[in-house]
Amino acid sequence: MKMDLPIRSTSGKPDAGSLGLLAALITMVGLSSCASKPPEPSPAAEPPKFVMYHWEGDGVPGSPSMVIYLDTQKAEFYRDDKLVGWTYVATGKPSHPTPTGSFRISEKTSDKVSNLYGKLLGPDGKVVDSDFNVSKEVLPEGHEFLPARMPLFMRLTNDGVGLHVGPIPRPGATASHGCIRVPRYMAQKFFANASIGTPVTIVATSPVAPG
């Protein structure tokens, strides 16, 4: 921006009007340079943290009960009518569906193993089949069947369906042979707070929130 020098008075010094004009021009130049600066970038928003489970039931009074929703793959734990915990679970795959209905815990075993499913080990001790069913497949000579562990098992049906510690490969998706797999932390909470006779309801579809 071209700016003329202020007009001087007869004394050789800028008069008051010239000084005021100079100050205004300097202010305008400053504002112009500020306006030309690019805006500061806003900090990138962090994605919400995924929550696998939540528990606040320690010391809460009331009768325990559980509800398991197959569509959302979630289990809820109640004390009377108060929800005190929830978790993602992994129920039976379409080929081995988890039954729906009303059940009661009939057995609690802290370190149970499956009598049907496990790993097939070759003569060298290496895993040949990680999903071997000893009731439907012939154990090859020289091979070994290693039963799958089901820690903190809580039986629901006579044919072996229950809740126990197990991996959740993809939260929200089925993965088991019919049992309800629970993350270890929440399995510990469920096991400690449930008892023989605790009702467990398994439903296909979760209720739709109003509105």
Side-chain angles (χ1 to χ4, degrees), residues 1-92:
M1 176 184 293
K2 183 178 180 181
M3 183 174 64
D4 294 331
L5 294 174
I7 301 172
R8 295 181 178 274
S9 66
T10 55
S11 63
K13 297 181 180 180
D15 57 22
S18 298
L19 290 175
L21 176 60
L22 178 60
L25 289 171
I26 292 174
T27 301
M28 290 175 62
V29 171
L31 290 174
S32 175
S33 63
C34 290
S36 64
K37 292 181 179 179
E40 292 290 333
S42 57
E46 294 185 2
K49 184 179 180 180
F50 177 76
V51 179
M52 187 74 175
Y53 48 73
H54 177 74
W55 178 259
E56 53 184 29
D58 291 340
V60 177
S63 299
S65 65
M66 290 183 241
V67 180
I68 297 166
Y69 299 108
L70 300 183
D71 60 341
T72 57
Q73 293 291 290
K74 288 183 178 181
E76 297 178 342
F77 196 99
Y78 289 84
R79 284 289 186 179
D80 290 340
D81 294 328
K82 179 179 175 59
L83 176 65
V84 297
W86 69 267
T87 181
Y88 276 98
V89 295
T91 63

Side-chain angles (χ1 to χ4, degrees), residues 26-180:
I26 292 174
T27 301
M28 290 175 62
V29 171
L31 290 174
S32 175
S33 63
C34 290
S36 64
K37 292 181 179 179
E40 292 290 333
S42 57
E46 294 185 2
K49 184 179 180 180
F50 177 76
V51 179
M52 187 74 175
Y53 48 73
H54 177 74
W55 178 259
E56 53 184 29
D58 291 340
V60 177
S63 299
S65 65
M66 290 183 241
V67 180
I68 297 166
Y69 299 108
L70 300 183
D71 60 341
T72 57
Q73 293 291 290
K74 288 183 178 181
E76 297 178 342
F77 196 99
Y78 289 84
R79 284 289 186 179
D80 290 340
D81 294 328
K82 179 179 175 59
L83 176 65
V84 297
W86 69 267
T87 181
Y88 276 98
V89 295
T91 63
K93 296 178 289 188
S95 58
H96 300 82
T98 299
T100 59
S102 298
F103 309 91
R104 289 184 180 273
I105 294 174
S106 58
E107 173 193 346
K108 290 179 65 180
T109 304
S110 60
D111 193 18
K112 192 177 183 66
V113 296
S114 175
N115 61 354
L116 296 177
Y117 298 101
K119 297 178 181 178
L120 177 65
L121 305 181
D124 57 359
K126 295 183 179 180
V127 176
V128 176
D129 187 347
S130 61
D131 191 18
F132 189 78
N133 186 338
V134 73
S135 69
K136 295 182 179 180
E137 302 173 74
V138 178
L139 185 66
E141 185 177 353
H143 289 61
E144 179 185 358
F145 173 67
L146 183 64
R149 294 186 63 247
M150 302 188 296
L152 305 179
F153 180 75
M154 292 178 280
R155 180 185 294 275
L156 299 180
T157 70
N158 291 332
D159 57 356
V161 174
L163 298 96
H164 62 79
V165 174
I168 316 293
R170 292 179 298 148
T174 59
S176 79
H177 291 108
C179 282
I180 299 96

